Amino acid sequence: MALRHIVYEGDEILTKKCRKVENFDRKLAELLKDMKETMIHFQGIGLAGPQVGMLRRLCVVGPFEDRYYELVNPEIIKAEGEQEGYEGCLSVPGYIGCVKRPQSIVVRAQDRKGEEFEYTFEGFPAVAVCHEIDHLDGIMYTTKAVDIHRPEDRPDEFTNSEEE
Ligand code: CO
């Protein structure tokens, strides 16, 4: 098990746009495996390349109905509806903020071998995937959120939030 160091808000790497993944090699597979372990270790439900210092278009999310997803070069090809809810970020520990996101999305992405898939995410998983794809474009949720606060200031809301 290899945990990666998490990059925190304030580090300019989090505001940079990531490059496409082009090499589907062993290094990529190891990175994705480490990212999943790191995400689970820190009790997140999503982790994107820049958050572990890699300016590459990839992220891991989950578990959603017991399933984890590796999204390499993900693109939102369809977005419908709207939802608003609190989200957090492993790069901004201790805070949550309210963001508007689509209710459902269809994402086209590759896996670690380069094979292409389309996934539909609805509800909270759609929030998580949008949050991670934003990271790949250097967009932090804190630039979109309103009402950013420490969850202990509103204990009733903390139970509904998870860190991405
Ligand atoms: Co995040």
Side-chain angles (χ1 to χ4, degrees):
M1 168 150 163
L3 295 180
R4 302 273 175 143
H5 286 285
I6 295 205
V7 172
Y8 295 107
E9 194 182 34
D11 191 315
E12 65 174 22
I13 201 164
L14 291 173
T15 61
K16 288 183 175 168
K17 204 172 155 75
C18 295
R19 282 169 296 162
K20 258 187 105 165
V21 173
E22 276 160 7
N23 296 322
F24 294 84
D25 53 12
R26 221 181 111 181
K27 236 178 125 180
L28 175 69
E30 263 169 35
L31 173 62
L32 287 163
K33 186 170 161 275
D34 288 353
M35 284 173 67
K36 182 182 166 190
E37 284 172 358
T38 305
M39 173 180 80
I40 292 168
H41 180 82
F42 290 102
Q43 297 176 320
I45 47 101
L47 189 64
Q51 293 183 278
V52 290
M54 306 297 288
L55 281 172
R56 293 290 173 181
R57 302 193 76 81
L58 52 89
C59 62
V60 292
V61 291
F64 304 136
E65 289 176 352
D66 293 331
R67 182 169 173 192
Y68 290 91
Y69 296 82
E70 296 175 352
L71 304 175
V72 179
N73 298 324
E75 270 181 82
I76 297 171
I77 56 173
K78 196 175 163 191
E80 281 181 325
E82 195 176 82
Q83 58 180 321
E84 200 171 14
Y86 283 85
E87 54 194 80
C89 180
L90 288 177
S91 294
V92 193
Y95 287 89
I96 56 173
C98 190
V99 187
K100 265 187 201 150
R101 302 284 190 188
Q103 175 61 31
S104 72
I105 53 171
V106 179
V107 173
R108 186 180 293 148
Q110 288 164 284
D111 68 5
R112 62 174 72 187
K113 291 176 182 160
E115 205 176 322
E116 204 169 271
F117 294 91
E118 278 182 22
Y119 302 106
T120 300
F121 296 100
E122 290 177 357
F124 189 72
V127 170
V129 173
C130 288
H131 176 117
E132 298 315 321
I133 292 177
D134 271 356
H135 272 301
L136 307 183
D137 292 314
I139 299 166
M140 294 289 286
Y141 90 95
T142 46
T143 64
K144 292 184 165 181
V146 295
D147 192 25
I148 297 171
H149 61 268
R150 288 185 172 275
E152 59 263 30
D153 297 339
R154 310 241 182 119
D156 51 321
E157 278 159 12
F158 185 46
T159 51
N160 297 325
S161 75
E162 294 176 69
E163 293 195 292
E164 287 150 38

